[in-house]
Amino acid sequence: MPDVIVVGGGVVGLLSAWLLGQEGARVTLLERGETGREASWAGGGIVSPLYPWRYSRAVANLAHWSQDFYPQLGQRLLADTGVDPEVHVTGLYWLDLEDQAEALEWARVNHRPLHEVDIDSVRAAVPALGEGFGRAVHMPDVANVRNPRLTRSLREALGAMPNVTLREGCEVDGFIESAGSILGVRTSQGDIRSESVVLAAGAWSGELLAKLGLELPVEPVKGQMILYKCDADFLSSMVLAKGRYAIPRRDGHILVGSTLEHAGFDKTPTDEALASLRASAEELLPALAGQQPIRHWAGLRPGSPEGIPFIGPVPGHSGLWLNTGHYRNGLVLAPASCRLLVDLMQGREAIIDPLPYAPEGRI
């Protein structure tokens, strides 16, 4: 019997399993499809909330810990697996913010390196940037991670751990429960028992928890993105304006996103979103005008109240733990969220105050 079953093979599930495996736990990770192919694949990978000053302290605490941890995580996974997650420090320019004063005050209070910069210096640093922008703030140390490669490297790392079992194509459709305790899960391949179960199923977590009669306020929020291929030196920094961003990869791929849509579990890309994203891309980077995106896709974020994830034990259901509901910041918050979860499961002092994320009182 495994010590822990992790339900969900996105970045949060993969990283939870990896950290638990490092603690010596016997772990079985269950994914109904392929690992890393849902929101973790679809996102942009900016290692920062899009507007960090607009979030609560709870989100900021997770984000700051993760931002500091990502470089060493990338180096460790590359060394262990040969797959480079490409933690790429480019910096990020926010353009023409309506709440620029609030952003700068947040940076001062939180000791974050966000500063107002002259727009001419931005144009010198980012020659591809479009005209029409008048103000900017800059955070030079913001990175992006190439999320499909991050999840692939985590999958490779798990595959090399003798105490971790990865089962893809195995859909969880319920829980084994007795006298208020969760003793495992029911799956398309039969029952699997364990001492603990971690639910990290992203946008699908609420549906699974409903099978226990619990209402988890996590719902799918659709996001669409497009991808261009340019020269490797086309865009030197991430840029963000009017809620849309452009992210450069090291090899010249440029991601532009994203939409926010409440469309249930529908992941169909739409022509309307494509037109809107292309217009944003061409406003930010006029050289993209007339260039066809090489890809267009959609993913489902696990929306939650205020974007605060649920991390910790489920009250009244001994043995069941949550690590879900990261909304737009799953890749940003994953390292800290998973470390916090493992700290709680091990009964040791947590990296940050766990109370804001506790399921108790929230479901």
Side-chain angles (χ1 to χ4, degrees), residues 132-337:
F133 299 107
R135 294 180 300 137
V137 295
H138 183 224
M139 189 179 284
D141 63 348
V142 179
N144 66 76
V145 62
R146 197 157 184 171
N147 33 305
R149 298 191 182 184
L150 171 64
T151 55
R152 195 165 89 228
S153 64
L154 284 167
R155 188 187 189 284
E156 293 289 325
L158 292 179
M161 300 176 77
N163 54 324
V164 176
T165 301
L166 177 61
R167 293 174 63 171
E168 295 179 307
C170 183
E171 184 168 6
V172 172
D173 51 29
F175 300 91
I176 304 169
E177 55 180 322
S178 176
S181 294
I182 300 301
L183 307 176
V185 295
R186 305 192 185 281
T187 83
S188 57
Q189 300 175 12
D191 291 356
I192 307 174
R193 292 180 172 267
S194 69
E195 296 173 11
S196 301
V197 175
V198 174
L199 182 56
W204 291 265
S205 298
E207 289 198 329
L208 280 171
L209 214 56
K211 296 178 183 296
L212 294 172
L214 298 173
E215 187 174 342
L216 178 71
V218 171
E219 61 178 1
V221 181
K222 183 177 179 179
Q224 300 188 50
M225 297 187 68
I226 56 177
L227 180 70
Y228 293 88
K229 183 63 172 75
C230 302
D231 293 335
D233 61 353
F234 171 69
L235 182 61
S236 58
S237 172
M238 294 180 284
V239 290
L240 192 159
K242 301 178 184 178
R244 296 280 170 84
Y245 51 80
I247 305 170
R249 301 302 197 210
R250 287 178 180 164
D251 61 3
H253 283 97
I254 308 293
L255 287 84
V256 176
S258 66
T259 65
L260 276 175
E261 307 166 58
H262 293 271
F265 288 93
D266 176 22
K267 291 193 299 179
T268 308
T270 65
D271 291 341
E272 293 83 359
L274 176 60
S276 176
L277 290 166
R278 289 190 68 178
S280 295
E282 293 169 12
E283 182 179 11
L284 281 168
L285 306 168
L288 297 178
Q291 184 172 332
Q292 291 290 330
I294 63 171
R295 193 157 188 176
H296 172 208
W297 67 86
L300 299 175
R301 312 174 184 89
S304 59
E306 298 182 72
I308 300 173
F310 296 83
I311 308 168
V314 176
H317 295 78
S318 176
L320 181 60
W321 299 77
L322 297 184
N323 195 2
T324 190
H326 295 76
Y327 193 25
R328 304 189 75 175
N329 295 310
L331 286 155
V332 186
L333 306 182
S337 297

Side-chain angles (χ1 to χ4, degrees), residues 6 8-9 13-14 17 27-31 35 158 164-168:
V6 177
L14 289 165
V27 182
T28 297
L29 186 146
L30 306 176
E31 164 57 44
T35 56
L158 292 179
V164 176
T165 301
L166 177 61
R167 293 174 63 171
E168 295 179 307

